[in-house]
Amino acid sequence: MRISPCCQSGRVGRIVSVPQRSQFATSSTVYDVLKKNRKFLCPSSSSTGGSGWMDMPESQPLPEEPLQIFPRIKERDPYKLLGIDREASFEEIQDARNYLYEQYKQHEPSREAIELAFDTVLQAKMKMRHKYGFKPPKTGRRSDVSGDEDKVSLIQRIKDAFEPNVSSVTLVNDGSIFMALALWAAWQAASSDPTLPLGAAVCFCAWKLYDKRNKRNPDGPYWGNSPIWGALLTTVLALVGGGLTSYVLAQVVPLPPKISIDAMGLFVITITLGWTAIFLK
């Protein structure tokens, strides 16, 4: 005979007859027998209407918290995704990454989007550092050596927009193509519709600008998240510039009788497109 712990503490409990240990296998215990028969209840449990400690489940899984999904997970601009400015310092970039990572680290796609944006911003900073050189620290901040862009004048910005050197092969190959298109457009202006040669010159100019910019900096950032939009905009501006140049030349330069104003205008516009595609970055 053995008395329950409730009885030992001064309360009246149910006395349970427990067989001798020799009647069971060596690995069995009295706890296993009582739990199997479910015969032991304390008075305190029965009086309150609840089950005894033997009826309690051994473990209950904790309810899972809903995963928080990053609301800007589909944003393609890494600066907007991290919620920082393009002139942000290294500390601001790292603090933004750490804050978002701790908040959304349970959701794997959100975590990967945050890490990818963080790596993209750091790579852009490193490219800026390679372009403008190393700046020694002045105030003890890490942003002093992160490669922030120096403020340059308008004339320097215009110079940076053009190719520093153009190879003779590019001048011969691309220049000959645009020269042939310009002569074709001028000849078509006098006889028929010059849309085909002018359209070919526009497409070739846009493709050359897109190809150069995509090879130089494939990661961007670009306006519209693609270099094609900037190339198309530059081509349209070249068309406008060529039209204005041809108009001024027609008013200033006297033309021979055999050359019409339309033929001269189309020739100048096509040459302007070629000059833009070859010399502009």
Side-chain angles (χ1 to χ4, degrees):
M1 300 292 290
R2 189 172 296 178
I3 302 176
S4 67
C6 296
C7 300
Q8 294 177 1
S9 61
R11 295 176 292 179
V12 179
R14 182 180 300 173
I15 300 176
V16 182
S17 177
V18 181
Q20 298 296 326
R21 184 176 180 88
S22 60
Q23 298 179 7
F24 302 98
T26 305
S27 61
S28 301
T29 62
V30 175
Y31 173 82
D32 298 331
V33 177
L34 295 176
K35 183 178 178 182
K36 181 178 180 181
N37 295 330
R38 303 281 181 170
K39 294 181 179 180
F40 185 81
L41 290 175
C42 290
S44 60
S45 301
S46 60
S47 61
T48 57
S51 60
W53 66 276
M54 296 297 298
D55 294 328
M56 294 293 292
E58 295 184 4
S59 63
Q60 295 180 352
L62 296 176
E64 296 183 358
E65 297 181 359
L67 295 178
Q68 293 185 358
I69 301 177
F70 189 35
R72 298 191 300 272
I73 188 173
K74 295 184 179 180
E75 177 62 48
R76 300 186 64 179
D77 190 348
Y79 293 91
K80 293 181 180 180
L81 189 143
L82 294 176
I84 57 176
D85 190 74
R86 295 187 180 275
E87 303 298 330
S89 62
F90 179 82
E91 291 84 357
E92 294 173 343
I93 298 172
Q94 193 172 34
D95 291 343
R97 178 263 177 193
N98 294 340
Y99 173 77
L100 295 175
Y101 185 88
E102 288 296 328
Q103 192 172 3
Y104 302 102
K105 63 182 179 180
Q106 301 298 334
H107 188 243
E108 183 176 357
S110 300
R111 186 174 67 248
E112 292 180 354
I114 295 170
E115 289 292 337
L116 180 60
F118 179 69
D119 293 341
T120 304
V121 172
L122 290 186
Q123 290 177 5
K125 287 288 185 180
M126 289 301 299
K127 288 182 179 179
M128 200 67 66
R129 173 175 172 175
H130 291 313
K131 181 178 180 180
Y132 292 95
F134 175 77
K135 295 194 310 179
K138 298 178 182 179
T139 61
R141 297 184 298 111
R142 258 183 289 181
S143 58
D144 291 331
V145 295
S146 61
D148 295 334
E149 183 178 357
D150 294 331
K151 294 183 179 180
V152 294
S153 61
L154 179 60
I155 298 177
Q156 185 62 36
R157 289 181 181 271
I158 295 176
K159 291 182 179 180
D160 292 339
F162 293 92
E163 296 285 353
N165 49 9
V166 180
S167 62
S168 57
V169 177
T170 302
L171 285 175
V172 172
N173 294 341
D174 296 343
S176 59
I177 293 175
F178 280 104
M179 179 61 70
L181 291 174
L183 295 175
W184 185 17
W187 179 72
Q188 289 289 101
S191 59
S192 60
D193 188 12
T195 304
L196 182 59
L198 183 60
V202 169
C203 294
F204 188 56
C205 177
W207 179 81
K208 287 294 294 182
L209 292 174
Y210 165 78
D211 185 61
K212 288 195 298 183
R213 295 175 181 180
N214 189 40
K215 289 180 179 178
R216 181 182 294 109
N217 190 9
D219 298 331
Y222 293 108
W223 178 68
N225 297 324
S226 176
I228 187 61
W229 303 114
L232 291 175
L233 179 61
T234 305
T235 304
V236 172
L237 294 177
L239 276 174
V240 176
L244 294 175
T245 304
S246 63
Y247 176 77
V248 173
L249 290 177
Q251 300 298 324
V252 175
V253 180
L255 298 176
K258 294 183 179 181
I259 300 178
S260 63
I261 296 178
D262 295 338
M264 187 271 297
L266 289 173
F267 181 84
V268 173
I269 291 174
T270 308
I271 292 298
T272 304
L273 290 173
W275 181 85
T276 303
I278 295 174
F279 291 98
L280 201 65
K281 286 185 179 179

